[in-house]
Amino acid sequence: MVEPEERPSVAGKRLGAPESMGISTLEPGQRPPTMPPGRQVSIRVQMLDDTQEVFEVSQRAPGKVLFDLVCAHLNLIEGDYFGLEFQDQHKMTVWLDLLKPILKQIRRPKNTILRFVVKFFPPDHTQLLEELTRYLFALQIKHDLACGDLTCNESSAALLVSHIVQSEIGDFEEVQCKQHLLNNKYIPEQDALMDKIIEYHQKHVGQTPAESDYQLLEIARRLEMYGVRLHPAKDREGTKLSLTVAHSGVLVFQGHTKINAFNWSKVRKLSFKRKRFLIKLRPDLNQSNCQDTLEFMMGSRDCCKVFWKICVEYHAFFRLFEEPKPKPKPVLFTRGSSFRFSGRTQRQVIDYVKDSEFKKVPFERKHSKIQSNSGLSPFPPRLCIEGQGEQRNASASGHQADSPVGRTQVTVENPALQHYTGSLTSQTNGCRNGTHDEADARLKPSPSKQQAEHLSTGPVSRSPQHSESPSAGQVMVNGQKQSLSLGQSPDGRQPSPLTSPLLTDAGFVRTDDEDERFPADKAYFIAKELLTTERTYLKDLEVITVSFQKSVGKDEAMPDSLRNLIFANFEPVYKFHETFLKDVDQRLAQWEGRSNAHIKGDYQRVGDVMLKNIQGLKLLTAHLQKHSEALLELEQTCRSSRRLEGLCRDFELQKVCYLPLNIFFLRPLHRLMHYKQILERLCKHYPPTHDDFRDSRAALADISEMVVQLHGTLIRMENFQKLLELKKDLTGVDNLAIPGREFIRLGCLSRLSGKGLQQRMFFLFSDVLMYTSRGMTASNQFKMHGQLPLYGMTIHESEDEWGVPHSFTLFGQRQSVVVAASSASEMEKWLEDIKMAIELADKYNDSSAEILSSSFTDSKSPEESNADQESEDDLSASRTSLERQTPHRGNTTVHVCWHRNTSMSMVDFSVALENQLSGNLLRKFKNSNGWQKLWVVFTNFSLFFYKTHQDEFPLASLPLLGYSITIPSESENIHKDYVFKLHFKSHVYYFRSESEYTFERWMEVIRSTTCSSSHIRSLSRKEPHVY
């Protein structure tokens, strides 16, 4: 039934077990149901270890047949905890109904991948009686950690990862452990926690893989997000919430914080009507004004139905003693849904496993370097330890003498516990739901490289409850030490404070003693923007202080005076912002409740942190003023030293230098503008009576003073940097960056000649207008064809004269040129800027404008008429795709404007640099089904994509010139909140943000790029700002 594979075995499959035995949903002694007649279809199923298997089933077969085949393939006994999920035709993630025919649920089986994942999360992992089941649960926890779905504080995350590493490589060895952590990514911010992970790993000496599984589940089950699948909803007041279901009842989350709970004992009925999900509560005698029906609005009727079904199944699985009987078919008409839970309840599964005898069969764990025996052991103790006396003696001493990896060998001594050992699979960066879109937005990063597979062999292991591991007694859960009462019944746990619900004005249940650790206040998201952009800024400083310094090294091409000027003035700034970032990160951790410090004081503020650090930053003003001097000195030295110029050029081709090198020299000045913008938003948000308002206003006054002081330097250096950047894109122009020349606009215009309209790239400066065509050289530089001094130039619209839309004529002292813009708006921008530049040139009587180059004239060479005309498809293949990194020189603003047939001004350039933004976004292609979580940086007219904020260089980039930003329409079936759409011709991308504030900020900064500004704003920028 299963498509044969070339590999010898599959992770999670028992070795030597018959294929047809051990099916989860069948009673003892039964075999799989007879396959219904009919044509066979192939169904692909993705397992928890990210391998895919193909199963052949009849086109008439119900879902139960496929599910039984999957469980038989794994030889899984406790399969009732799991399920098969897939995306239906509406792009919603749903569970495979075991009673309905498969092909009535899956319309296109060839294009659908079902995912075998955990469906029911028990409150206590000791209820899982089979090691294979706990191993699969551990895989699920590991996937949720990698995807960011299982959130926790840093201590808990490090402890979880340490148990995973222990199960994969065994006892601690420093070099091996560090290398393993470098090769495998288990949590999004792993590098920052590596020392803590290593510290915890050292404490797990002697811990077997099965014990690691056990400890992993023990920690995970205490986390608030354990087993949570969020379903977006709103209450009656329109507050955005998320609903989820657990073993105890229906839960309400705001962000990643649980704010309400409706225990099954309090719920009388769950129902839905269209988009409304209704919870009817039992009357509470202690609450006279308690509302008996709570209402939540979900995205659609289908969303309601999907959530209602999983609620019905969770209630039946955990609360009923046996599977509910099917309803009798009505004679005349039906009312309501006929859906019911199909399968054994948890009580039936536990009784079935305890009452049955299964042969001990080892199974294989993927990526593990430890070998151990595994299997269910429902036999008397003497059978488990028969013939293992020598092994028991060896285990008592701590390690097996001949063990190549120093692993512990133990045996089962308590038949009532029945736990067993194995080794945990290695981390892959994929989550259980693949890359498909789904209601709970579980994301899948790209998978990491996988290691070699190892089989589990050896003697039976002792129960994890009797572990002698140093970490078995206490663990850190959410920053607090907790004792592990491993044999404790879930009934012995302290009841939730939400068992006695109180109705709030918003229409949902809440208790007074519950704290919101992830606040929804706008000030929090402003502070988070400060944190995310500070991380990017520190990485940009590292380009100069680390990467560039390492690249030039002690090369004699760079004089010592220049080396000291650059690095002696950047390194103090870098060290200061390292401390600043730590302060902001610590404050956000306290604000979110990731540490216990929020209990001791009011940390829901950030103005005091900014005031303290901005006062420290003022002491570095002298260093900031030297940065412009360093840029000038570097350019002058490069002119006189070809070797240094070559070193800088080679460095710009490195991936870490994702922007022109000169831009990084301006980053500290731009960062002052960012601080000012953040503080302005913070002061605007706070009322004058707020505790943080005074500090925020004082910090704003200090940073405004610095901005005024350095504003003139910033304007001059932005212009100088842009001239240097343009010089690299032009060939034959050596004297572009001269004193007094200002860049105004560049872009595409069509020049009318005897051969018709020909695309040309025009460059408008304060004294001259020149036009070029894209050259045929390997560097794709632009070749100048002519130039028109602005002094004495006149301009006339000539659409009627030449019959060319959006055309106008430029009359110079020596020649005239007829050009046409691509649209009326582009024509208006060019006319406005050219007229303004002409007026300034006439005002200052600039009749002696320096000629840019004498070696190029306005000749009509064959090279001009056959200028390289790359298509938009060529551009998109290398510059709008997110699949690979773009060639550096092909991704400049000049080349993008050429291919997009658009223009940009100096104001646009300044705004794009000053409006830098960064943070996590979910990205989706037009024709893809899944959302991918990426770290995104917006700067210099482009989005740069990273896997995490810790990456050294971007994976890809997306130039935004020419793109439009809108909100998806209903017909696009996105059905998600905070989604914006970027599109240019046939290229469409969707991005999701985490909150309304971040959504508005991304829309704002991207619009500043996609909606070109008028140059009139540049004049006001050169005036002193009023702060």
Side-chain angles (χ1 to χ4, degrees):
M1 306 297 286
V2 181
E3 184 176 280
E5 297 288 337
E6 294 183 1
R7 58 181 180 275
S9 59
V10 181
K13 178 180 178 180
R14 296 178 184 272
L15 304 178
E19 289 291 335
S20 60
M21 298 302 294
I23 298 175
S24 164
T25 57
L26 300 179
E27 294 299 325
Q30 287 187 326
R31 290 187 171 273
T34 304
M35 186 68 67
R39 182 174 58 88
Q40 300 285 302
V41 294
S42 299
I43 304 291
R44 283 186 296 168
V45 177
Q46 180 169 310
M47 303 298 180
L48 278 165
D49 58 3
D50 290 330
T51 60
Q52 289 188 8
E53 303 296 336
V54 180
F55 297 86
E56 300 288 339
V57 298
S58 169
Q59 61 181 355
R60 302 179 184 177
K64 181 174 170 41
V65 172
L66 175 62
F67 184 73
D68 288 345
L69 288 174
V70 175
C71 293
H73 173 66
L74 297 173
N75 206 25
L76 179 62
I77 308 302
E78 298 173 290
D80 298 85
Y81 290 98
F82 303 83
L84 294 170
E85 64 176 10
F86 65 98
Q87 278 196 329
D88 62 12
Q89 64 271 24
H90 302 298
K91 305 298 183 182
M92 292 183 59
T93 301
V94 297
W95 294 101
L96 183 71
D97 193 325
L98 302 184
L99 300 181
K100 292 183 179 180
I102 297 174
L103 293 189
K104 285 191 176 182
Q105 303 179 65
I106 305 175
R107 302 297 183 186
R108 303 173 64 187
K110 291 184 179 180
N111 301 325
T112 302
I113 300 178
L114 285 83
R115 294 173 295 276
F116 182 79
V117 296
V118 176
K119 186 174 184 179
F120 302 106
F121 289 83
D124 192 351
H125 60 293
T126 60
Q127 297 170 345
L128 305 176
L129 302 181
E130 238 216 323
E131 182 190 354
L132 175 58
T133 310
R134 293 199 303 276
Y135 165 66
L136 295 175
F137 266 73
L139 287 182
Q140 185 71 74
I141 297 302
K142 199 162 52 160
H143 286 184
D144 291 349
L145 276 174
C147 297
D149 294 331
L150 183 59
T151 57
C152 56
N153 61 38
E154 293 181 353
S155 296
S156 298
L159 185 57
L160 288 168
V161 174
S162 69
H163 285 297
I164 296 173
V165 175
Q166 173 70 20
S167 70
E168 293 182 354
I169 65 175
D171 292 342
F172 176 78
E173 183 180 335
E174 184 173 1
V175 176
Q176 183 186 24
C177 180
K178 287 185 177 179
Q179 189 61 40
H180 190 75
L181 288 172
L182 291 174
N183 295 336
N184 298 274
K185 193 89 169 184
Y186 298 106
I187 51 178
E189 299 180 3
Q190 180 171 300
D191 295 342
L193 299 178
M194 188 169 294
D195 291 339
K196 190 171 291 187
I197 295 172
I198 292 174
E199 177 186 352
Y200 284 133
H201 186 200
Q202 297 178 31
K203 301 178 181 179
H204 302 331
V205 175
Q207 184 170 289
T208 63
E211 291 169 338
S212 297
D213 284 358
Y214 189 91
Q215 300 294 345
L216 184 75
L217 296 178
E218 175 62 32
I219 301 167
R221 76 178 180 90
R222 298 170 182 263
L223 300 176
E224 196 165 63
M225 294 297 293
Y226 169 69
V228 168
R229 290 189 170 202
L230 300 177
H231 297 255
K234 296 180 181 179
D235 63 12
R236 289 178 175 175
E237 304 299 324
T239 304
K240 293 183 178 179
L241 307 167
S242 297
L243 299 180
T244 189
V245 62
H247 66 93
S248 59
V250 180
L251 311 178
V252 182
F253 278 75
Q254 191 169 43
H256 284 176
T257 303
K258 184 177 70 174
I259 61 174
N260 311 93
F262 307 105
N263 195 280
W264 292 128
S265 62
K266 303 292 184 180
V267 175
R268 184 166 59 92
K269 183 179 180 181
L270 295 175
S271 61
F272 67 97
K273 186 175 183 181
R274 296 185 179 90
K275 301 166 86 172
R276 294 181 298 157
F277 186 82
L278 306 174
I279 303 177
K280 293 186 178 181
L281 302 177
R282 300 184 186 279
D284 191 346
L285 301 178
N286 298 324
Q287 298 291 332
S288 59
N289 59 344
C290 181
Q291 185 178 349
D292 64 342
T293 302
L294 302 179
E295 179 178 311
F296 297 89
M297 295 293 294
M298 306 191 78
S300 64
R301 180 185 181 276
D302 290 338
C303 294
C304 278
K305 187 172 183 179
V306 168
F307 183 61
W308 175 80
K309 281 186 174 181
I310 189 62
C311 288
V312 170
E313 292 181 311
Y314 253 80
H315 178 268
F317 184 77
F318 287 106
R319 297 281 290 184
L320 301 184
F321 289 98
E322 59 183 12
E323 178 183 356
K325 304 299 181 183
K327 296 180 181 179
K329 292 184 178 181
V331 179
L332 298 178
F333 59 90
T334 61
R335 182 179 180 181
S337 174
S338 61
F339 176 80
R340 66 179 179 89
F341 171 72
S342 174
R344 287 185 301 231
T345 65
Q346 185 188 32
R347 173 64 63 86
Q348 288 178 309
V349 174
I350 294 175
D351 293 342
Y352 167 59
V353 176
K354 287 182 176 179
D355 296 340
S356 305
E357 293 186 356
F358 299 99
K359 182 181 178 182
K360 242 183 3 217
V361 183
F363 70 92
E364 178 187 5
R365 294 169 177 258
K366 207 173 181 184
H367 309 304
S368 179
K369 299 179 181 179
I370 312 174
Q371 297 178 354
S372 64
N373 191 42
S374 55
L376 185 68
S377 306
F379 298 101
R382 58 182 180 85
L383 297 179
C384 294
I385 62 176
E386 184 177 355
Q388 302 292 340
E390 295 179 3
Q391 307 290 2
R392 291 184 60 185
N393 295 333
S395 66
S397 62
H399 296 280
Q400 185 178 357
D402 61 347
S403 172
V405 292
R407 57 185 177 272
T408 302
Q409 304 284 350
V410 293
T411 58
V412 175
E413 297 184 7
N414 187 343
L417 299 178
Q418 302 303 337
H419 293 277
Y420 25 81
T421 184
S423 56
L424 195 63
T425 179
S426 158
Q427 169 68 28
T428 59
N429 288 327
C431 58
R432 67 188 179 209
N433 293 335
T435 58
H436 294 279
D437 189 13
E438 54 199 352
D440 61 349
R442 295 181 180 268
L443 308 176
K444 176 181 179 181
S446 58
S448 62
K449 293 183 179 180
Q450 299 180 348
Q451 303 172 358
E453 301 178 358
H454 296 266
L455 304 183
S456 295
T457 59
V460 165
S461 157
R462 176 168 57 98
S463 167
Q465 281 98 325
H466 291 180
S467 170
E468 297 176 2
S469 168
S471 64
Q474 288 185 333
V475 296
M476 296 289 292
V477 179
N478 287 333
Q480 299 180 356
K481 288 187 178 181
Q482 298 190 13
S483 300
L484 302 185
S485 302
L486 301 182
Q488 184 179 356
S489 167
D491 296 333
R493 297 171 61 187
Q494 293 184 355
S496 169
L498 299 174
T499 53
S500 299
L502 298 175
L503 191 65
T504 65
D505 295 336
F508 46 75
V509 174
R510 169 156 198 169
T511 57
D512 297 332
D513 57 348
E514 191 175 20
D515 64 302
E516 294 190 19
R517 292 180 296 167
F518 294 89
D521 183 27
K522 182 179 179 180
Y524 164 75
F525 292 107
I526 295 175
K528 192 170 184 180
E529 179 184 340
L530 172 65
L531 174 65
T532 57
T533 52
E534 189 71 15
R535 283 172 173 167
T536 301
Y537 173 54
L538 200 64
K539 284 290 184 182
D540 288 346
L541 289 179
E542 288 180 359
V543 173
I544 298 292
T545 59
V546 178
S547 303
F548 185 59
Q549 186 173 13
K550 182 180 178 181
S551 181
V552 296
K554 297 182 179 180
D555 197 291
E556 297 179 356
M558 176 173 282
D560 292 337
S561 59
L562 177 59
R563 182 180 288 105
N564 294 333
L565 180 62
I566 295 176
F567 303 120
N569 288 291
F570 268 90
E571 287 178 350
V573 177
Y574 173 73
K575 292 179 181 178
F576 170 82
H577 284 281
E578 267 190 322
T579 304
F580 186 19
L581 177 60
K582 291 179 182 177
D583 290 345
V584 177
D585 194 13
Q586 182 181 6
R587 176 55 55 88
L588 264 292
Q590 295 166 347
W591 201 334
E592 294 171 352
R594 285 186 275 132
S595 69
N596 289 331
H598 69 285
I599 300 175
K600 303 175 183 178
D602 179 15
Y603 291 100
Q604 295 188 357
R605 59 169 71 184
V606 75
D608 56 332
V609 176
M610 293 201 70
L611 177 60
K612 182 188 73 172
N613 285 277
I614 288 175
Q615 289 174 346
L617 185 60
K618 292 177 69 175
L619 303 177
L620 300 176
T621 303
H623 292 292
L624 298 177
Q625 292 173 334
K626 288 287 186 180
H627 292 172
S628 59
E629 183 180 338
L631 178 58
L632 291 170
E633 185 68 22
L634 177 63
E635 172 60 20
Q636 292 175 0
T637 308
C638 286
R639 289 182 181 179
S640 58
S641 173
R642 288 192 174 184
R643 179 174 177 81
L644 180 59
E645 183 182 13
L647 287 175
C648 294
R649 183 174 58 250
D650 293 342
F651 177 72
E652 281 194 325
L653 296 177
Q654 296 182 18
K655 292 181 178 180
V656 70
C657 189
Y658 67 100
L659 296 172
L661 175 61
N662 296 332
I663 290 183
F664 293 102
F665 281 80
L666 303 181
R667 277 292 188 249
L669 298 181
H670 287 142
R671 189 58 179 160
L672 300 180
M673 303 290 292
H674 301 161
Y675 291 148
K676 179 178 176 293
Q677 294 170 3
I678 289 172
L679 284 167
E680 285 175 341
R681 286 193 292 273
L682 205 58
C683 290
K684 184 178 180 180
H685 169 68
Y686 284 143
T689 56
H690 195 280
D691 293 340
D692 202 27
F693 178 78
R694 183 175 181 179
D695 289 339
S696 300
R697 187 173 59 178
L700 177 60
D702 287 343
I703 199 66
S704 298
E705 180 182 346
M706 293 185 66
V707 169
V708 171
Q709 184 178 355
L710 298 171
H711 182 69
T713 302
L714 175 61
I715 295 298
R716 291 193 301 272
M717 298 316 299
E718 280 184 348
N719 180 73
F720 180 67
Q721 185 277 327
K722 195 61 184 177
L723 293 176
L724 295 181
E725 181 183 345
L726 294 178
K727 179 183 174 182
K728 298 175 184 178
D729 287 312
L730 298 170
T731 180
V733 180
D734 297 327
N735 55 346
L736 186 64
I738 62 173
R741 174 171 289 154
E742 295 184 12
F743 165 70
I744 299 176
R745 179 175 289 275
L746 66 84
C748 278
L749 293 172
S750 296
R751 179 173 180 262
L752 183 62
S753 65
K755 296 182 179 180
L757 291 173
Q758 293 180 316
Q759 183 180 1
R760 293 288 179 263
M761 178 63 71
F762 280 72
F763 297 84
L764 176 62
F765 301 97
S766 58
D767 58 343
V768 67
L769 174 68
M770 73 175 190
Y771 53 96
T772 66
S773 67
R774 192 167 181 269
M776 303 294 290
T777 62
S779 60
N780 292 328
Q781 290 177 300
F782 286 82
K783 171 187 174 183
M784 187 172 70
H785 285 273
Q787 52 185 310
L788 299 172
L790 296 181
Y791 180 74
M793 178 185 288
T794 58
I795 184 170
H796 300 285
E797 297 185 25
S798 53
E799 184 173 340
D800 296 335
E801 180 181 354
W802 298 102
V804 179
H806 319 307
S807 62
F808 53 94
T809 305
L810 302 171
F811 295 95
Q813 293 180 341
R814 302 177 185 176
Q815 65 180 117
S816 62
V817 178
V818 180
V819 295
S822 60
S823 64
S825 60
E826 280 291 308
M827 176 182 172
E828 182 181 352
K829 295 172 189 176
W830 277 105
L831 288 176
E832 180 182 1
D833 284 347
I834 294 175
K835 288 178 180 178
M836 182 272 300
I838 292 174
E839 290 176 1
L840 291 178
D842 292 341
K843 179 179 179 180
Y844 293 106
N845 296 322
D846 193 7
S847 58
S848 58
E850 184 172 350
I851 302 300
L852 293 175
S853 175
S854 59
S855 60
F856 292 94
T857 62
D858 191 24
S859 60
K860 301 177 180 64
S861 63
E863 199 175 49
E864 176 181 351
S865 59
N866 297 320
D868 185 10
Q869 302 285 338
E870 275 192 325
S871 66
E872 171 61 26
D873 291 337
D874 295 332
L875 175 71
S876 65
S878 61
R879 282 174 283 279
T880 66
S881 172
L882 303 185
E883 299 301 322
R884 60 177 181 268
Q885 177 65 29
T886 60
H888 182 74
R889 288 249 57 83
N891 202 22
T892 65
T893 54
V894 178
H895 286 82
V896 175
C897 286
W898 172 265
H899 290 287
R900 304 276 169 82
N901 196 20
T902 186
S903 67
M904 58 82 65
S905 68
M906 186 62 199
V907 179
D908 300 326
F909 170 74
S910 299
V911 170
L913 290 176
E914 294 171 7
N915 283 346
Q916 179 176 328
L917 190 63
S918 55
N920 286 314
L921 287 177
L922 309 183
R923 183 221 58 192
K924 178 183 178 299
F925 293 111
K926 177 182 178 181
N927 297 320
S928 68
N929 294 326
W931 295 88
Q932 183 180 8
K933 186 176 184 180
L934 298 168
W935 178 263
V936 184
V937 174
F938 167 79
T939 186
N940 200 32
F941 300 97
S942 298
L943 293 178
F944 295 90
F945 300 94
Y946 302 75
K947 192 174 181 182
T948 69
H949 69 83
Q950 298 169 334
D951 292 353
E952 296 297 327
F953 53 84
L955 302 174
S957 63
L958 178 64
L960 296 181
L961 286 173
Y963 268 76
S964 298
I965 181 170
T966 58
I967 298 176
S969 62
E970 289 291 335
S971 60
E972 294 174 87
N973 295 323
I974 297 299
H975 303 308
K976 302 289 182 182
D977 292 327
Y978 314 129
V979 177
F980 60 89
K981 171 185 174 184
L982 289 173
H983 54 97
F984 174 75
K985 294 186 177 179
S986 61
H987 306 287
V988 178
Y989 304 99
Y990 300 98
F991 294 92
R992 272 171 60 198
S993 55
E994 63 180 354
S995 68
E996 184 178 3
Y997 172 82
T998 53
F999 168 77
E1000 292 174 350
R1001 285 290 293 137
W1002 281 105
M1003 292 282 287
E1004 176 186 351
V1005 298
I1006 294 177
R1007 275 182 177 149
S1008 69
T1009 296
T1010 57
C1011 301
S1012 181
S1013 305
S1014 169
H1015 186 75
I1016 293 177
R1017 291 180 54 193
S1018 66
L1019 299 179
S1020 63
R1021 287 182 74 251
K1022 297 177 183 180
E1023 300 297 331
H1025 286 201
V1026 180
Y1027 298 101

